[in-house]
Amino acid sequence: MAKCDVCGKDENMPYNCRHCGGTYCGDHRLPENHNCTGLENWNDPKGVFDSGFDDNVNSGGSTSRASSLTDKIPINTGTGGPLAYFRGNMTYTVLALMWLTFLSQLILQQFLSYEAYSSIFVLRPYHPEYVWTWFTSIFAHGGFMHIVGNSIVIFFFGPLVERYVGSRKFAILFLVSGALAGLGQITIQMIEVSPITPFTSGVVGASGAALAILGVLTILNPDLKVYLYFIIPVPIWLLTAGYAFISVFFLAGAGGGFGAGIAHMAHLVGLVIGLAYGQYLKQNRNVSAPNRLEFGGGGPGGPGGPGGPGRGRF
């Protein structure tokens, strides 16, 4: 038994401060609670408190201890650090990156040649080895209405999926489904080339990832009610089935999987990935989704809600 150097309390399991060498009770074990003379060295990664009764605690810091990757990043990744915002907000981070990329497109296309511009932002069938375009093409878009349409779906549906799977898995779902959707599109372009869709056509857009998000929610709750074009109430399964039908229809008749300038193969690939992942979640986790989604004004029962992925390159 020892006495606390601050309050004199008898302590059966005293805490010995490595920084100043004092002995303290549980209330005064932290450096800031006993006016530790070594407080300025508190950020020393080797510094730990020796409880005096646990042999597994390395008070000397001489033995190598495993450390996480975040410990090596020279940025405060804790809950109060600059990266704390990204926890639980990956959907909005994705949206921000999409719009920043779109702004970059508008600027760079004024200064770069078509080849240089495409090599940065566009996933093309004759340059699949440009691995970075597998991902940059997800955030790039072919026009203002294209990015607005995709943003609507991601903004309304994304937080629901992120809530179920977590921010890290949501980011993985978004990137993997978006990349595979784009690769699926250029693959069918390589196989089926026609005068309607020349081999030089490329792919941009987050619609494949947006359809994956839609697919996940369709499996989790097929009766989830949404408002098509903010007006028409429909169950989400009907919206999903409609996109699947349109994609298959154009794939059967349009060269390279394009129809009206839309990469339907990319839509279909993203949707299938989302449906498969949603089924996995349903079988392995007890998740549920609300039966109704309403956004916008009008109060209860008023119109509002996503109108589905926007038309665009994909």
Side-chain angles (χ1 to χ4, degrees), residues 27 37 55-56 64 74 87 107 122-123 133 144 182 186 189 213 215 226 243 256 268-269 295 308:
D27 294 333
T37 56
D55 293 336
N56 292 323
S64 175
R87 294 184 177 88
I107 296 174
V122 184
L123 176 58
T133 61
F144 181 74
I186 66 170
Q189 287 180 242
I213 293 171
V226 297
Y243 274 104
L268 194 59
V269 170
F295 302 97

Side-chain angles (χ1 to χ4, degrees), residues 79-296:
T79 55
L83 298 183
Y85 174 80
F86 297 98
R87 294 184 177 88
N89 290 294
M90 188 55 63
T91 299
Y92 305 122
T93 302
V94 164
L95 287 170
L97 290 174
M98 283 170 50
W99 283 92
L100 287 173
T101 301
F102 185 63
L103 178 62
S104 300
Q105 289 179 258
L106 297 178
I107 296 174
L108 293 179
Q109 67 183 0
Q110 305 298 324
F111 302 99
L112 299 179
S113 65
Y114 174 79
E115 178 61 29
Y117 171 86
S118 298
S119 297
I120 297 174
F121 297 109
V122 184
L123 176 58
R124 296 175 290 175
Y126 53 95
H127 280 309
E129 74 278 8
Y130 292 176
V131 178
W132 60 89
T133 61
W134 297 7
F135 302 101
T136 57
S137 62
I138 304 173
F139 297 95
H141 284 78
F144 181 74
M145 293 308 298
H146 187 201
I147 189 172
V148 167
N150 285 331
S151 296
I152 289 174
V153 180
I154 296 169
F155 178 81
F156 287 122
F157 289 144
L160 293 176
V161 175
E162 183 177 357
R163 187 186 309 161
Y164 301 141
V165 304
S167 297
R168 183 176 65 87
K169 291 183 179 179
F170 176 83
I172 294 173
L173 171 67
F174 185 88
L175 293 174
V176 170
S177 61
L180 291 179
L183 291 172
Q185 180 62 44
I186 66 170
T187 298
I188 198 172
Q189 287 180 242
M190 295 177 185
I191 297 173
E192 182 184 354
V193 180
S194 74
I196 299 177
T197 306
F199 188 72
T200 56
S201 298
V203 183
V204 293
S207 297
L211 264 295
I213 293 171
L214 193 69
V216 170
L217 288 177
T218 299
I219 294 296
L220 295 183
N221 192 337
D223 295 324
L224 176 67
K225 184 178 289 187
V226 297
Y227 283 88
L228 184 63
Y229 300 113
F230 297 91
I231 299 175
I232 308 172
V234 296
I236 195 172
W237 71 262
L238 186 59
L239 185 65
T240 302
Y243 274 104
F245 174 79
I246 292 172
S247 297
V248 172
F249 176 81
F250 277 100
L251 281 171
F258 277 93
I262 303 174
H264 290 284
M265 186 63 182
H267 282 194
L268 194 59
V269 170
L271 184 57
V272 169
I273 291 174
L275 293 172
Y277 187 52
Q279 188 62 39
Y280 168 80
L281 291 175
K282 192 172 184 178
Q283 291 178 347
N284 294 275
R285 296 176 59 183
N286 183 21
V287 297
S288 60
N291 292 319
R292 183 185 182 94
L293 280 181
E294 292 183 10
F295 302 97

